[in-house]
Amino acid sequence: SEEMVEQARAKFGDRVDQVFVADMRELPTCGEFDFVTCIDDALNYLLSDGDLVAAFQGVADVLAPGGVYAFDVNSLKTYRTAFAQTFVREDEGGLFCWRGEAAPTFEPGGSAGATIEMFIEQRPDTWQRVTGRHVQRHHQQAVIVDALDAAGLECAAVVGQWPGGLLDDIMDEAAPIKRVYFPRAATNARQTAGAE
C-alpha cells in the first residue's frame, strides 16, 4: 500500500528508490535476490491461473540461481470455516465485524468472499465506519505446482501452517489453515529465457 511505502521511505530514506508499490503480476526488475517472501494471503487474491503464473514469473525473474521463494495460500479448511462464518470482535476504541459468504461445503478451486466492517472511535461518541469486501480463490496444489513449473521454479517443499504460525509436515487440506510453499530457482530465469 502507498501508506506502508511512505512509512518505509521515512524509515529508510537513503534507499527510497528501492521502496515502491507494484502489482505482483507485473513485478518490475529490481535486482537479484537469494530469498523472496509473499506471506499472509496476498496470493489468495489472484483469481486466475494466468495471474498465478504471472506472479510466479515475476519472482523467478528476480531470484538468483538457487534462490528460494516462500509463500502461503489458504487451505480448504480456512474457506470452509473462517469464510463460512460471521463474527464480531470489540476492543477498546473499535469494533470489527467479519461476514463470510462461503459455505461449509466450499469446493476446491472455488472463489470465496467476505465483507469486513470496522467501527473506529475517533473521539468520544464519534465513530468512523470502514467497509471492505474481499474475494479470494482457493488454489489447488496441482495448479500451484503447474504455475511454478511454467515460471521455471521447482517446488522444493510444502508444509502445513497451523494457527500461531506453527509449521509441520502434515499437509491435509482439512487440517492446517494454510499451505506454505518453498520453491527455488534451479537456474536464473533470465538465463533460461535467453537460452530459448
Side-chain angles (χ1 to χ4, degrees), residues 76-148:
L76 276 176
K77 177 177 181 162
T78 296
Y79 292 112
R80 291 176 175 170
T81 57
F83 275 78
Q85 63 182 302
T86 296
F87 60 87
V88 176
R89 291 202 178 122
E90 183 175 7
D91 62 19
E92 186 178 326
L95 181 125
F96 175 88
C97 178
W98 168 278
R99 282 191 226 118
E101 302 165 5
T105 56
F106 180 84
E107 292 293 322
S111 293
T115 299
I116 296 173
E117 290 189 283
M118 294 180 289
F119 296 85
I120 304 162
E121 189 173 20
Q122 300 296 301
R123 56 185 182 272
D125 300 323
T126 304
W127 297 78
Q128 176 185 10
R129 180 179 182 174
V130 179
T131 302
R133 185 153 190 286
H134 298 262
V135 178
Q136 295 185 0
R137 177 181 176 197
H138 172 257
H139 295 288
Q140 297 178 71
Q141 185 157 329
V143 171
I144 289 174
V145 170
D146 286 349
L148 289 169

Side-chain angles (χ1 to χ4, degrees), residues 20-88:
F20 53 87
V21 174
D23 185 323
M24 74 173 90
R25 297 166 298 182
E26 299 173 0
L27 194 63
T29 302
C30 53
E32 188 172 83
F33 303 91
D34 295 321
F35 188 58
V36 175
T37 63
C38 187
I39 302 296
D40 205 14
D41 282 346
L43 288 169
N44 298 320
Y45 289 95
L46 299 178
L47 302 179
S48 75
D49 294 355
D51 286 344
L52 205 56
V53 171
F56 291 164
Q57 186 62 61
V59 172
D61 288 346
V62 300
L63 272 179
V68 174
Y69 176 33
F71 67 87
D72 65 12
V73 292
N74 286 338
S75 68
L76 276 176
K77 177 177 181 162
T78 296
Y79 292 112
R80 291 176 175 170
T81 57
F83 275 78
Q85 63 182 302
T86 296
F87 60 87
V88 176

